[in-house]
Amino acid sequence: GPEFIYVESSTYPFDSTLLNNNQWAHDSINTPKAWDYTIGSDEIYVGVIDTGIDGTHSYLSGNMDNGLHMDFSGNTPEPLNIPIDSSDHGTHVAGIIGAKPNSSTGVVGVCWNVNIVSLRISIDGYWYSSRAIQAVDYAILKGIDVLNYSGRVRDEETNQININDPAFSQIIANYSGLFVAAAGNYYSDNDEEDVFPANYSLTHSNVISVGALDINDEKPLFSNYGINSVQ
């Protein structure tokens, strides 16, 4: 009989953004091969400490039905039955983490199944360290497995940024889950100039500091970097 050639398959959804290579990052980090083994689990809770999340977004439908969403942006934390986002940043982050696949025209998240929790600490992209501390403390209380934090801390008393806040450092150390922090988009070397909480990766075993790569797997100009501080 004929000699057939067999090749390894990878799990690919039919979303146009992925098929047209507009989401080239998935191939860069080899998520299609990982999807052969797992597409995530709704038993894993990921808290997004950010500007909120649009809970009505169709791409996130089914991955946010957990009743744990909280708004820490005001003076008193308030539960959010339907999460909201005033600047879309948190929604963008949530989509990278867990956008549902096979919507034909949509994007695809790393985890197809996941429980995303909106921990809103800002309405305009600026927030205080006390809000971030409250969010992490809540994650500890509710047993949230992973936290994503995209930003620097502005101290409520001094209005300084990029400072080592002992209280924030301690609450992250008390958190038993994985804390993922953005290294920053300020063109700088985090080994030379500290960015917190990202640089807690040097002292806290549960912190990963994440920079950016471009389509050629090279560091884009804007991304912070650091041989020791950025994983």
Side-chain angles (χ1 to χ4, degrees):
E3 182 80 271
F4 293 102
I5 298 175
Y6 290 84
V7 296
E8 280 189 287
S9 64
S10 292
T11 302
Y12 252 84
F14 59 75
D15 301 79
S16 60
T17 56
L18 189 64
L19 297 176
N20 294 334
N21 202 36
N22 291 326
Q23 282 192 271
W24 44 263
H26 281 300
D27 285 328
S28 294
I29 63 174
N30 210 13
T31 46
K33 187 61 180 175
W35 292 332
D36 288 343
Y37 296 92
T38 180
I39 54 174
S41 169
D42 58 9
E43 294 183 1
I44 300 299
Y45 288 75
V46 179
V48 178
I49 303 175
D50 214 294
T51 60
I53 301 172
D54 179 2
T56 66
H57 203 298
S58 59
Y59 300 166
L60 299 171
S61 176
N63 279 352
M64 295 190 64
D65 305 328
N66 50 60
L68 296 176
H69 313 294
M70 288 289 289
D71 188 350
F72 300 95
S73 62
N75 292 326
T76 304
E78 296 181 1
L80 290 171
N81 293 327
I82 300 177
I84 56 175
D85 186 359
S86 55
S87 74
D88 296 331
H89 187 273
T91 303
H92 177 78
V93 171
I96 294 172
I97 295 168
K100 299 287 275 188
N102 298 323
S103 61
S104 179
T105 59
V107 297
V108 182
V110 173
C111 297
W112 301 4
N113 294 328
V114 66
N115 247 312
I116 300 174
V117 182
S118 176
L119 303 176
R120 189 180 192 224
I121 61 172
S122 169
I123 60 174
D124 56 6
Y126 293 91
W127 55 79
Y128 297 115
S129 57
S130 58
R131 308 295 193 257
I133 290 168
Q134 286 178 320
V136 179
D137 191 45
Y138 177 79
I140 294 172
L141 178 66
K142 296 299 182 179
I144 296 173
D145 303 283
V146 181
L147 290 175
N148 186 91
Y149 186 94
S150 303
R152 300 176 288 180
V153 172
R154 182 173 65 177
D155 185 79
E156 192 166 12
E157 298 294 331
T158 66
N159 209 34
Q160 290 180 291
I161 60 175
N162 281 354
I163 63 170
N164 178 15
D165 182 342
F168 196 30
S169 173
Q170 185 59 57
I171 199 70
I172 293 173
N174 293 345
Y175 173 62
S176 61
L178 177 65
F179 190 95
V180 181
N185 299 325
Y186 320 112
Y187 315 89
S188 61
D189 184 347
N190 286 10
D191 288 353
E192 299 294 331
E193 182 179 351
D194 285 328
V195 173
F196 293 105
N199 274 34
Y200 291 140
S201 64
L202 296 170
T203 56
H204 297 45
S205 61
N206 63 330
V207 176
I208 294 178
S209 174
V210 179
L213 295 174
D214 63 18
I215 195 170
N216 298 312
D217 279 341
E218 297 178 354
K219 187 191 79 66
L221 180 63
F222 63 83
S223 181
N224 286 20
Y225 55 95
I227 292 176
N228 299 309
S229 55
V230 179
Q231 284 71 45

